[in-house]
Amino acid sequence: DQVVRNSPAPARRFDNGNVGFRFSGRSSGVDWSAVFFDGFDPAANFYVPVQLDLSNANATPGVLTATALTQLKPAYRRYQSIGADAQTVFGGLTTRVEAAFKFRRPYPREVSSLTREIVGDEQRVATLLQGGTVTLNAFEPRDAVEWGMGADYLIDGWLPLLELYQVALFNNDTPLLIRNVDTRITASLRKAWLEGESLETKIVGLWGIESGYEMVRAEATYAITDQIAAQLGVLGIWGDARSLVGEFKRNSELFGRLSYSF
């Protein structure tokens, strides 16, 4: 049985703040910047307290049948990052490149590895049998390099975009939802239609090469008025369930949305 619990946010102290610096400029037609960040990871990460409910346990020789009670609780973790990016235009082709080194950023683990970690540790098993709590990290901090490059070109109102993004982890010895090297290729095509470009269509495809996952999303958005828009689309997800995107493969869907802006 699994429940989700909230965690107390970090205290409102100066040393719990985030700090970031960005230095940018333009040289020979190239816009560039350098960035430093030190603070809490804006992406969600969790830790998992586990207990055993032995009130209705059934025991046979060598086997104990009990209920594991697990919680999923937010973990507030900090990391540091230094990076740089640049972009320029060649005729109608806009190109971008970015890279960052991230110190001890949390990356998600495979859930099945948490079970194996408990079962394979006699001390943790003994703690659970005595009514104690075992707490595991669902995310592991790792040093990593993340970099990417992309280009788009406007052709008669069509806007194709192609991007390559890669994450490379260092000194990793734990099964994570991303491989030690995770390369992703993204392609999208966007086009506006009708008078005043009130209808926009977009299709996006994502391929994780090493991790073996794919995603396709197609949508059409119609601006009924300046404030009201209607959207219809389809999302397809495939791939290895033990991957960053493939874990959501049962969430393929048709969707509709009506929005009001003010």
Side-chain angles (χ1 to χ4, degrees), residues 16-17 19 30 50 56 70 91-92 96 104-105 114 148 154 158-159 165 173 175 194 197 199 208 240 250:
N16 276 337
V19 61
V30 177
V50 181
N56 296 311
T70 67
R96 296 168 296 279
R104 313 304 292 168
R105 184 178 188 184
L114 301 180
L154 186 62
W158 296 87
L159 183 63
Y165 187 78
D173 57 359
L194 304 182
E197 300 184 345
L199 175 65
D240 188 344
R250 294 185 178 181

Side-chain angles (χ1 to χ4, degrees), residues 12 38 67 92 125-126 130 165 219 233 246 260:
R12 294 182 179 273
D38 181 353
T67 300
V125 171
Q130 294 168 7
Y165 187 78
E219 61 186 46
Y260 176 77

Side-chain angles (χ1 to χ4, degrees), residues 16-187:
N16 276 337
N18 297 339
V19 61
F21 299 98
R22 183 172 186 265
F23 182 73
S24 60
R26 181 175 175 85
S27 304
S28 302
V30 177
D31 295 306
W32 55 268
S33 67
V35 178
F36 170 79
F37 173 78
D38 181 353
F40 290 97
D41 192 344
N45 64 91
F46 303 91
Y47 65 92
V48 184
V50 181
Q51 291 181 308
L52 282 185
D53 179 3
L54 301 173
S55 58
N56 296 311
N58 296 318
T60 58
V63 178
L64 174 67
T65 302
T67 300
L69 305 176
T70 67
Q71 296 182 24
L72 195 64
K73 300 186 70 172
Y76 298 97
R77 296 185 180 177
R78 302 176 65 92
Y79 78 99
Q80 292 182 332
S81 176
I82 55 173
D85 63 81
Q87 64 176 1
T88 189
V89 177
F90 301 97
L93 182 68
T94 302
T95 59
R96 296 168 296 279
V97 62
E98 62 181 9
F101 193 97
K102 302 188 175 182
F103 302 88
R104 313 304 292 168
R105 184 178 188 184
Y107 291 92
R109 298 181 58 180
E110 292 182 15
V111 174
S112 59
S113 70
L114 301 180
T115 302
R116 293 193 298 268
E117 187 171 322
I118 292 178
V119 174
D121 189 323
E122 293 183 0
Q123 184 175 354
R124 284 175 168 160
V125 171
T127 298
L128 291 174
L129 291 176
Q130 294 168 7
T133 300
V134 172
T135 300
L136 301 175
N137 292 321
F139 285 63
E140 288 291 339
R142 293 290 182 266
D143 294 338
V145 169
E146 300 187 19
W147 68 274
M149 58 188 303
D152 63 68
Y153 191 89
L154 186 62
I155 309 172
D156 295 330
W158 296 87
L159 183 63
L161 168 66
L162 183 65
E163 295 181 319
L164 172 67
Y165 187 78
Q166 187 178 76
V167 180
L169 303 180
F170 295 95
N171 303 318
N172 178 50
D173 57 359
T174 303
L176 302 176
L177 283 181
I178 66 171
R179 306 298 187 258
N180 291 343
V181 176
D182 189 53
T183 308
R184 310 161 196 169
I185 295 178
T186 305

